[in-house]
Amino acid sequence: MDATNSADLRFATLHDIPALVALVTSAYRGDASRAGWTTEADLLEGERIDPAVLRHDLERARSKIVVLEQAGNLLACAHVAEDDGAGYFGMFAVAPTLQGGGIGKRLLAECERIVQQDWQLPVMRMTVIDVRDALIAFYQRRGYHRTGVFKPFPYGDARFGHPKRDDLRFEVLEKSLLETSLPVETTA
């Protein structure tokens, strides 16, 4: 069965928090994450997302956690919110064994649609650890560009994990949602 086409999109609820924590952690941390290409296991260990942060994101205005679900199982998720007059995309996770099959592209396109059509915002932004070259290239193929704007990694805040190196920082990526109709996708 093709999970990309048969999965249902919906907004997460407070009841989804444990499953969201498990999904996001499996996509980025520990040995399970190595089954996919988005692992951060060589960069960070520990938590990837904090349940209290998730609760806040679910309860605030102009903030949604979008999930792809099939037969009651969460396959992928992403957080989309309004931030300073732009869309913000984050907490993007696809189950490691399903990565590379189109689920992430579908979810990203839906988040862009929400920001552009539902919220009428002109741009989508995200932050990516700047040494994640393959991940940045994935976003560039979908129309995002590097801005050269960097933000510090939250060293010392266990809610975001324990860094294995001391040179981590975030770079802001950005995509105009005015220049093109959605979805925009190029060859993976």
Side-chain angles (χ1 to χ4, degrees):
M1 182 182 289
D2 180 8
T4 303
N5 294 322
S6 63
D8 296 318
L9 283 163
R10 69 171 176 84
F11 296 130
T13 68
L14 294 174
H15 299 291
D16 292 311
I17 289 176
L20 288 166
V21 169
L23 173 63
V24 173
T25 300
S26 74
Y28 290 98
R29 304 288 164 80
D31 288 335
S33 71
R34 294 182 192 281
W37 67 273
T38 62
T39 184
E40 294 173 344
D42 294 329
L43 303 174
L44 298 146
E45 58 190 4
E47 296 299 317
R48 176 58 159 77
I49 187 65
D50 178 73
V53 171
L54 277 173
R55 175 178 287 280
H56 173 74
D57 289 340
L58 286 165
E59 292 176 337
R60 70 184 170 117
R62 303 272 287 215
S63 174
K64 301 286 184 191
I65 296 175
V66 185
V67 299
L68 267 170
E69 178 181 59
Q70 185 177 54
N73 295 314
L74 296 187
L75 308 178
C77 66
H79 176 228
V80 64
E82 181 175 0
D83 183 40
D84 198 25
Y88 180 79
F89 180 79
M91 201 187 73
F92 187 31
V94 176
T97 59
L98 298 176
Q99 292 175 14
I103 288 175
K105 294 175 199 169
R106 180 177 172 204
L107 188 57
L108 177 60
E110 175 62 11
C111 290
E112 290 174 349
R113 187 204 64 74
I114 290 167
V115 168
Q116 182 190 49
Q117 295 175 8
D118 295 353
W119 296 345
Q120 309 259 315
L121 299 173
V123 67
M124 180 81 91
R125 294 187 185 119
M126 66 179 73
T127 55
V128 178
I129 296 174
D130 71 335
V131 297
R132 304 282 321 275
D133 295 330
L135 187 58
I136 291 170
F138 170 85
Y139 290 122
Q140 288 175 317
R141 290 190 300 271
R142 275 135 201 95
Y144 289 82
H145 69 274
R146 298 180 90 152
T147 64
V149 174
F150 296 94
K151 296 184 176 189
F153 186 85
Y155 285 95
D157 189 338
R159 294 177 306 165
F160 301 100
H162 305 287
K164 294 182 174 183
R165 40 193 287 184
D166 63 2
D167 64 342
L168 300 179
R169 64 183 180 171
F170 295 106
E171 183 171 4
V172 177
L173 304 184
E174 185 173 283
K175 177 180 180 178
S176 172
L177 300 178
L178 299 177
E179 298 171 0
T180 181
S181 297
L182 295 175
V184 171
E185 189 174 313
T186 60
T187 306

